[in-house]
Amino acid sequence: MPVLDVHRDEEALTVALTAEFEAPPVRVWQVFADPRQLERWWGPPDWPATFDEHDFRVGGRATYYMTGPDGTRAHGWWQFTAIDEPRSLEFDDGFADQQGTPVPEPQPTHAVVTFAADGDRTRMTVRSAFTSLDALHQQARMGMEDGLRLAAGQIDAILKEQP
């Protein structure tokens, strides 16, 4: 499994995932840049994602929903705040209503994703920063840490395919 660690730091109000892949950063980058690849792994295997919008540029927005085993849909959004291809990207990440409009609770997080070359491999780190300890605990109760681990665990299969 490519996931090396998922670490919660309550003092820093962060959850960070570290994973390593048998592919160069430019290839791992594509699993975020291409919405069809992104929706194959964003979300745990039993909650697959569908991206309705994916305007991958600074100031751009992505909207998506994840569909649970019983058909329940959980909607979300991203607002891209920084993109440095293929080294890093940043985005605000929040929940939305059925029309994709952001909702205030749970509070949005700010994600920083980095891709570092390590020979022929890439170390990817996804660090989510929370606005408060309550917000971090709320998402932890929702299964964020296990969800991240399961989601990122699906990337290897995508990377083995031709882009």
Side-chain angles (χ1 to χ4, degrees):
M1 174 165 280
V3 176
L4 303 175
D5 185 44
V6 176
H7 177 73
R8 182 191 319 179
D9 183 339
E10 293 190 353
E11 283 187 30
L13 300 177
T14 60
V15 171
L17 171 132
T18 304
E20 213 168 75
F21 302 102
E22 296 279 345
V26 69
R27 175 63 183 106
V28 181
W29 175 266
Q30 292 170 351
V31 302
F32 277 92
D34 177 355
R36 301 298 71 92
Q37 291 181 53
L38 181 59
E39 64 190 8
R40 291 179 54 204
W41 73 270
W42 186 255
D46 60 345
W47 280 82
T50 301
F51 278 77
D52 294 320
E53 179 182 9
H54 191 263
D55 185 7
F56 194 58
R57 64 178 176 82
V58 174
R61 182 176 166 85
T63 59
Y64 66 93
Y65 60 89
M66 296 187 301
T67 305
D70 65 355
T72 300
R73 287 186 175 180
H75 294 261
W77 58 271
W78 293 352
Q79 184 79 40
F80 296 104
T81 59
I83 295 177
D84 182 15
E85 183 179 350
R87 291 174 279 288
S88 65
L89 67 118
E90 298 184 31
F91 56 92
D92 294 328
D93 178 12
F95 289 83
D97 63 21
Q98 292 182 357
Q99 289 73 42
T101 304
V103 296
E105 293 295 327
Q107 296 174 3
T109 61
H110 183 74
V112 176
V113 184
T114 58
F115 307 90
D118 183 11
D120 293 339
R121 301 172 61 86
T122 298
R123 181 170 287 226
M124 179 182 80
T125 302
V126 180
R127 182 180 171 270
S128 296
F130 295 82
T131 56
S132 69
L133 188 57
D134 286 342
L136 189 156
H137 285 165
Q138 182 179 20
Q139 290 211 24
R141 284 190 302 274
M142 293 169 60
M144 178 189 185
E145 293 163 55
D146 286 337
L148 273 173
R149 182 182 307 278
L150 291 168
Q154 301 173 101
I155 294 174
D156 257 353
I158 299 165
L159 294 174
K160 289 178 183 170
E161 301 168 0
Q162 290 298 322

